[in-house]
Amino acid sequence: MIKEIFFVWWFFAPAGVANVAAFFSGKAPFLKKYSYPADFNISLRGKRILGDNKTIRGFIFGVLGAIAIVYLQIFLYRNIPLLRSILPINYNSIDPIIFGALAGFGALFGDSVKSFFKRLVGVAPGKSWFPFDQADYIIGGILFTSLYIRLSNAEYIILFFVWFLIHP
């Protein structure tokens, strides 16, 4: 079971990093001037669809962060024989741009879909909305990465619970 937990942590790390990179890109004061809302200021029933916290800058940094992690994973996979022996996927055959972009965009897309519904039901920006705040990026990341690499149902279940518990 330890091997499976390590694998799903490893496999989904690009999506997890995308989620964090997008968040921190909003905290960097020198990047504020490059902020543009991901919802293009579109409103529904008088409320912004996603709000001010979802930006194009966040999507860009999130996807770039995910791609960087996949490049690092491939480097480590090629240079650490133990990883090659325990990971069920051959990382030499993964395109880091495609997989990183899918993982990063998927995680942020899932977060944005949750934000849309969060606004609809009146939850304030930045206010916790358990369990959706923990599951959103995982579901989005799974949906998008499965377009490129398909895991077993058991691996997806383990992935969901591992990353759900990591999130807080």
Side-chain angles (χ1 to χ4, degrees):
M1 186 60 149
I2 298 296
K3 187 175 167 182
E4 289 83 5
I5 290 172
F6 175 77
F7 168 63
V8 298
W9 171 82
W10 173 276
F11 176 81
F12 209 66
V17 167
N19 205 29
V20 173
F23 173 78
F24 281 113
S25 76
K27 303 298 178 195
F30 64 95
L31 293 175
K32 290 284 185 197
K33 64 182 176 182
Y34 301 108
S35 179
Y36 192 79
D39 64 8
F40 302 101
N41 291 313
I42 297 170
S43 295
L44 178 68
R45 297 186 210 155
K47 295 180 191 175
R48 290 267 306 284
I49 293 175
L50 300 177
D52 291 332
N53 295 330
K54 303 293 177 252
T55 65
I56 300 295
R57 177 197 63 232
F59 269 88
I60 291 169
F61 275 83
V63 169
L64 291 176
I67 291 169
I69 291 302
V70 178
Y71 272 109
L72 176 62
Q73 288 175 323
I74 292 169
F75 173 80
L76 294 173
Y77 182 85
R78 289 178 179 162
N79 291 289
I80 301 174
L82 178 62
L83 288 174
R84 291 192 301 275
S85 70
I86 62 174
L87 292 173
I89 293 175
N90 179 356
Y91 271 75
N92 287 320
S93 65
I94 291 176
D95 183 311
I97 294 173
I98 293 171
F99 185 65
L102 288 169
F105 184 82
L108 300 175
F109 178 80
D111 185 59
S112 295
V113 169
K114 181 264 318 196
S115 290
F116 171 75
F117 287 105
K118 195 174 179 180
R119 301 296 162 259
L120 281 182
V121 299
V123 179
K127 185 89 170 153
S128 179
W129 198 32
F130 184 83
F132 306 107
D133 284 333
Q134 290 70 30
D136 55 359
Y137 78 103
I138 301 169
I139 294 168
I142 286 172
L143 289 173
F144 278 77
T145 58
S146 69
L147 298 172
Y148 188 65
I149 297 172
R150 183 82 175 113
L151 303 182
S152 71
N153 290 339
E155 288 169 325
Y156 283 126
I157 291 167
I158 295 167
L159 185 156
F160 183 86
F161 283 107
V162 165
W163 280 91
F164 188 89
L165 294 173
I166 288 173
H167 186 271

